[in-house]
Amino acid sequence: MPTFIRVIYRVVYDALYHFTEDDGWAMASHVALSTLLALFPFLIFGTTLATYLGADRFSETAVHLIFDTWPPSIAKPISDEVRQVLTIPRGGLLTISVLAAAYFASNGVEAVRVSLNRAYRILETRRWYITRLTSLFWVLAAVLSLAAISLFLVVVPVALGFAEQRFPWLKEPLGVISSWRVYGTLIVLAIGVTISHLWLPAGRRRIRDVLPGVVVTLIAWTIAAIVFAYYISTFANYARTYAGLASLMIALVFLYMSAVIFIIGAEINAAMIKYRVMNRMLWRVTGPEPLEADEAADI
């Protein structure tokens, strides 16, 4: 068997075996449910903070960036409920309800952190309050990032209109820029997944260590969303089983499937780090580097 095929087989086998042995299916359920429960508190906290900062289009931007990657049949019922909730006036910035929303939103980050620690085979050594503060920091960072994007989107249409009048030859490139929903959502999603792999779990990783799992995750998410949307529209009838809870259960199943793919992506990264796959690829390009006995045996 060629060396490349043998290494790929070992990586995939190791990733799937460790995913099963380390309760990956249960962790995916935990991540899916925690994410769904954290979604509304995150948007409530984000809308309150963004309004205080002057980013009035935060809720619209956040809904697009979060739900545009979901199949329409899944996203529409949830996004409609989100918009209805976000139109309810809130109190001041530092009210108990808003602070509680920030705390509950961080539960979703904590679930992802725990699942990534298991996937990367790392024991968490940080104190619980450090990890919780870190999760709150990432919630705040996400809110500020979306608020900045929403402020940017207020300026963009004006700038595009001015540019089209003064520079007609830029009309086609500017048309590509104006379709921010698709491209912006994909970019934000890729950055978010990469940040999750790099800095949420304990330990340190390099970009090249996490990039394979990020690429696999994004590709698998795209395929899974298309297949699941086709399944929902063609075969499944959740309304007959769950009645009024059908849209909620569909979203939960979709998030569960997405969490499985996300964790397996981290497992692939961990397996590649274990077998030093990226180091060997660089070795073939830049020249040899000393290998340990067990690594030489693998080759």
Side-chain angles (χ1 to χ4, degrees):
M1 182 185 297
T3 302
F4 177 76
I5 301 297
R6 186 166 65 249
V7 171
I8 294 297
Y9 171 78
R10 287 184 177 181
V11 167
V12 174
Y13 178 82
D14 185 87
L16 296 179
Y17 177 81
H18 189 269
F19 174 82
T20 304
E21 285 295 306
D22 220 16
D23 302 322
W25 301 107
M27 291 305 302
S29 298
H30 176 48
V31 171
L33 183 58
S34 298
T35 301
L36 187 61
L37 292 177
L39 181 60
F40 282 86
F42 169 75
L43 291 173
I44 291 171
F45 172 71
T47 302
T48 305
L49 179 58
T51 302
Y52 178 78
L53 297 174
D56 297 330
R57 294 184 58 184
F58 172 88
S59 58
E60 179 184 348
T61 303
V63 166
H64 282 302
L65 290 176
I66 292 173
F67 293 107
D68 279 0
T69 55
W70 295 29
S73 58
I74 305 172
K76 189 178 185 307
I78 304 297
S79 61
D80 289 345
E81 294 298 326
V82 167
R83 288 189 176 92
Q84 184 175 351
V85 168
L86 295 183
T87 56
I88 300 175
R90 309 285 167 186
L93 176 62
L94 295 179
T95 60
I96 297 298
S97 60
V98 172
L99 292 176
Y103 178 84
F104 287 121
S106 70
N107 286 339
V109 182
E110 284 289 282
V112 174
R113 178 187 62 80
V114 172
S115 67
L116 287 176
N117 276 338
R118 287 203 177 195
Y120 281 107
R121 304 117 196 244
I122 297 173
L123 181 63
E124 183 61 74
T125 56
R126 295 169 291 183
R127 300 285 186 179
W128 67 268
Y129 51 85
I130 297 297
T131 57
R132 177 61 69 171
L133 288 175
T134 303
S135 297
L136 287 169
F137 165 79
W138 287 117
V139 169
L140 182 61
V143 169
L144 294 178
S145 299
L146 292 176
I149 293 173
S150 65
L151 288 173
F152 175 75
L153 293 176
V154 174
V155 180
V156 166
V158 179
L160 291 179
F162 175 80
E164 286 182 0
Q165 290 179 358
R166 294 300 182 93
F167 311 103
W169 53 276
L170 287 177
K171 184 175 182 180
E172 189 171 334
L174 291 174
V176 175
I177 297 175
S178 63
S179 59
W180 64 270
R181 289 185 182 179
V182 176
Y183 302 106
T185 299
L186 293 177
I187 292 172
V188 170
L189 183 62
I191 293 174
V193 174
T194 303
I195 289 175
S196 298
H197 283 279
L198 284 175
W199 293 312
L200 268 187
R204 294 183 179 181
R205 284 149 300 278
R206 296 165 295 186
I207 290 286
R208 75 183 193 188
D209 293 330
V210 305
L211 193 58
V214 171
V215 172
V216 169
T217 298
L218 294 177
I219 294 175
W221 272 350
T222 303
I223 297 173
I226 295 173
V227 172
F228 190 68
Y230 177 76
Y231 168 73
I232 290 296
S233 61
T234 307
F235 300 106
N237 190 351
Y238 281 81
R240 182 177 301 175
T241 305
Y242 297 105
L245 296 176
S247 60
L248 181 63
M249 293 306 301
I250 292 173
L252 191 56
V253 172
F254 177 72
L255 288 174
Y256 174 74
M257 179 180 62
S258 301
V260 169
I261 294 171
F262 177 76
I263 297 173
I264 290 178
E267 294 282 3
I268 290 174
N269 285 337
M272 293 185 70
I273 294 172
K274 175 181 177 181
Y275 291 109
R276 296 178 65 110
V277 174
M278 297 302 293
N279 286 353
R280 291 174 181 174
M281 292 175 64
L282 291 175
W283 167 69
R284 293 181 184 275
V285 175
T286 61
E289 63 175 343
L291 297 175
E292 298 177 3
D294 57 340
E295 294 170 348
D298 289 336
I299 297 179

